[in-house]
Amino acid sequence: MAREFQRGHKAKISDLTPGTDLYVGVQIAAPGLTFDISCFGLDADEQLSDDRYFIFFNQPKSPEESIQLLGAQSGDTESFRVTLDRIPATIHKLSFTATLDGAGQMSQVGPGYIRIVAGGEEVVRYAFTGSEFTTERAVMLGDFYLKDVWRFAAVGQGFDGGLDALLRNFGGEVAEEEEAPAAPQAAPGFAPPAQATAPPAFGAPPAPPAPQAPQPAPSFGAPPAPAPAPQQPMHAAPTIAAPLTPQAPPAPAPYGQPGHQPPPPSQPQFGQVPGQGTPPYGQPAPAPYGQPAPAPYGQPAPFGQQPPGAPQGVPQGAPAAGAGLHAALQLYKETPTGQRWTPQNKQLMRVDLTMGGAGVLARQGSMVMYQGKVDFGYKGAGFVGRAVGNATGQEMQLMRCSGRGQVFLAEEGSYLHPIELQGDAICVSAESVLAFDESLQYEVRRVDGHGIPGGALFTMQFQGTGTVIIKTHGTPVVLPVTPTTFADCNAVVAWSAASQVIVSSQVRLRRNAYPGHSGETVNLQFRGAPGNFIVVQPYEV
């Protein structure tokens, strides 16, 4: 029996079926609209590094035929054959998408779905309707992604722009076909008018059209085909895709030789000196050979040291005229991935409440922006929770975020790290928690220790299926647990719940480590089987 997925649901392929030769069917339709249904084979950075793994109507299969476009059949608008054990190691995700070919928007589509069939039997189906979208012209339907093993995720994320915009989002480039120039026509010479052609023979029937050979049905396990239905044309114009590959400029003439020309000023990025490549972060760009170094950004260079053609008095490092505000801010645009939790940068996290269904609990005051219809409410801990929090120092002031929209979270410029739990558990200090899915179970856990006032240390334990966002001061390090692993309790951010934690023999007490605040520190020793870990930040709370 097929499992019905909702948006945001994930599962291992091995939990759905033991097979690896799968049929993927997509059904999407709207009156008067046509759709392009494609599959993007992405690398570990979720980029289309090899355009041979963009499977669409102009490229129906990958080189080793692990991904094949089968066409409309069995009631599906489009279908694919995916052989997971033949996909090369460079491909980490298969993203199935649908885009509009022509005018329209995704809110006009009727009920549709993406489904997986193994051995002729449907094992999973994710259904959607146009009411889930607004003005988007593309939608990411579902993903096969590699995380230790192959898994499937129901995405259902709308995307502004059509196939071209979606292709550029995955790192590809659209090359438009150039029209061939018309050949010049010779001037006609003198000639009398042509005689009228003879009329066709009376009663001669027109030539019948050439019959088309029927397409064979796949035999690897596709679902049985229902009654035939008229199909709408899928595609109107071909699109040529290629990865973004920088073109090498022609070699210039040697400096000081005839024909040497200074390089033309290129379009600089925000804060970059015109005509220079991108320097390392935090370092100024070097000056061209034979020219003095530019002045710091925002300060005018001495008279006579401006680049050729630049007006005197223009500050070095400013974007060239005509770059525009949009080009200057392009580096900081929102990062869409079709996931519930998406890091926008190291210090800003976005959560899409429309995916997953459940709400999110976040630290009060951590919301910096939101879009859509989002409700914020105070999440009380109750009398028992407040008593435990006051006694252990692990109390959190939380707010509940629910509704349909996106919420952006941050706090004091801390580095943010999403940790996805799939039935396992992790221990985190309450001070290091920014937000987590409401579906997770959490409680205060006691770490016993002799010689500590109060008799114990305390931490938060999260368990279940969902994501918890941890914040750190600086970039943390993850260390395996060995019998000789010691750490300052105020530098430890998190550790695996299966680890055994004891107080080391050198006990030094510190403020905030326990109720009472003596002002000293506590060293912790971690023990456990191979596979356990601790997360330490380069900072003490």
Side-chain angles (χ1 to χ4, degrees):
M1 181 178 178
R3 292 177 57 180
E4 296 288 341
F5 271 27
Q6 302 296 324
R7 179 188 293 184
H9 281 188
K10 305 174 184 178
K12 297 179 180 178
I13 297 296
S14 58
D15 293 341
L16 302 175
T17 174
T20 58
D21 197 358
L22 307 175
Y23 171 98
V24 179
V26 175
Q27 205 284 327
I28 185 171
L33 301 182
T34 56
F35 297 88
D36 292 327
I37 301 174
S38 313
C39 176
F40 291 84
L42 308 176
D43 58 19
D45 297 326
E46 298 191 359
Q47 295 294 299
L48 184 66
S49 57
D50 190 339
D51 64 307
R52 298 176 300 170
Y53 290 90
F54 173 36
I55 309 304
F56 67 122
F57 55 88
N58 268 358
Q59 185 167 257
K61 60 183 179 180
S62 60
E64 72 291 326
E65 299 186 357
S66 62
I67 315 167
Q68 303 178 44
L69 185 69
L70 304 179
Q73 59 177 312
S74 304
D76 298 328
T77 310
E78 189 62 271
S79 61
F80 299 82
R81 181 179 183 178
V82 177
T83 310
L84 294 177
D85 52 7
R86 294 178 59 186
I87 295 176
T90 55
I91 303 300
H92 288 242
K93 176 182 284 190
L94 304 180
S95 181
F96 294 90
T97 66
T99 57
L100 280 166
D101 184 9
Q105 55 190 24
M106 283 297 172
S107 60
Q108 299 174 250
V109 303
Y113 60 78
I114 179 173
R115 61 173 177 165
I116 301 175
V117 178
E121 295 185 2
E122 183 175 321
V123 295
V124 67
R125 174 186 292 237
Y126 162 54
F128 57 86
T129 63
S131 61
E132 301 177 26
F133 313 109
T134 54
T135 59
E136 298 94 333
R137 292 179 43 78
V139 59
M140 304 176 196
L141 300 172
D143 293 340
F144 286 91
Y145 66 99
L146 186 61
K147 186 177 180 181
D148 299 330
V149 295
W150 282 103
R151 306 167 188 260
F152 174 74
V155 179
Q157 177 67 36
F159 189 88
D160 292 335
L163 182 60
D164 293 358
L166 192 61
L167 182 61
R168 292 188 181 95
N169 175 71
F170 287 133
E173 183 181 54
V174 178
E176 300 293 343
E177 292 185 343
E178 298 181 357
E179 296 183 2
Q185 299 182 358
F190 175 79
Q195 298 293 330
T197 57
F202 177 76
Q212 298 182 356
Q215 298 293 331
S219 58
F220 70 96
Q231 299 291 335
Q232 296 184 353
M234 289 293 297
H235 319 292
T239 304
I240 300 176
L244 286 172
T245 304
Q247 300 294 330
Y255 182 80
Q257 298 296 326
H260 172 75
Q261 296 290 338
S266 60
Q267 199 70 263
Q269 297 181 1
F270 182 73
Q272 178 181 331
V273 179
Q276 296 293 328
T278 304
Y281 181 78
Q283 298 183 13
Y289 179 79
Q291 298 185 16
Y297 181 78
Q299 299 182 13
F303 184 80
Q305 295 185 9
Q306 299 283 6
Q312 299 296 329
V314 175
Q316 294 291 324
L325 180 61
H326 179 74
L329 300 179
Q330 189 70 12
L331 293 174
Y332 314 109
K333 66 178 182 179
E334 181 182 359
T335 304
T337 62
Q339 303 294 332
R340 177 172 170 87
W341 295 91
T342 306
Q344 300 300 298
N345 52 51
K346 293 182 180 180
Q347 298 158 303
L348 184 64
M349 183 71 60
R350 186 194 72 183
V351 56
D352 191 343
L353 298 176
T354 60
M355 303 181 64
V360 168
L361 297 179
R363 187 179 295 273
Q364 289 188 21
S366 61
M367 186 276 294
V368 297
M369 187 185 74
Y370 71 93
Q371 297 173 317
K373 297 181 179 179
V374 181
D375 296 326
F376 297 93
Y378 173 72
K379 174 64 176 178
F383 176 78
V384 176
R386 288 195 301 270
V388 172
N390 292 332
T392 63
Q394 299 295 306
E395 182 181 13
M396 291 187 294
Q397 299 295 325
L398 298 175
M399 62 180 179
R400 185 177 186 273
C401 311
S402 60
R404 298 183 62 85
Q406 298 81 37
V407 181
F408 294 77
L409 303 171
E411 186 173 75
E412 297 179 350
S414 299
Y415 284 28
L416 305 181
H417 314 275
I419 297 180
E420 181 180 355
L421 301 179
Q422 295 187 352
D424 41 2
I426 188 173
C427 294
V428 187
S429 171
E431 183 65 27
S432 300
V433 177
L434 179 73
F436 55 93
D437 285 323
E438 195 175 21
S439 57
L440 290 174
Q441 302 174 2
Y442 63 99
E443 62 180 357
V444 176
R445 185 177 179 182
R446 176 187 179 101
V447 179
D448 293 325
H450 298 290
I452 302 177
L457 301 174
F458 300 90
T459 186
M460 298 293 298
Q461 177 175 301
F462 295 87
Q463 186 173 8
T465 301
T467 300
V468 56
I469 308 300
I470 293 178
K471 60 188 184 77
T472 64
H473 295 271
T475 303
V477 61
V478 179
L479 300 173
V481 171
T482 67
T484 58
T485 301
F486 296 83
D488 190 320
C489 71
N490 294 285
V492 174
V493 176
W495 64 83
S496 52
S499 300
Q500 180 186 4
V501 187
I502 60 176
V503 178
S504 69
S505 57
Q506 298 179 356
V507 179
R508 294 178 292 130
L509 304 177
R510 182 193 173 102
R511 182 174 184 173
N512 293 335
Y514 60 91
H517 308 313
S518 72
E520 301 289 332
T521 63
V522 175
N523 287 340
L524 299 179
Q525 182 180 6
F526 294 85
R527 297 177 181 176
N532 288 281
F533 62 89
I534 63 172
V535 183
V536 181
Q537 62 184 357
Y539 181 89
E540 287 192 3
V541 179

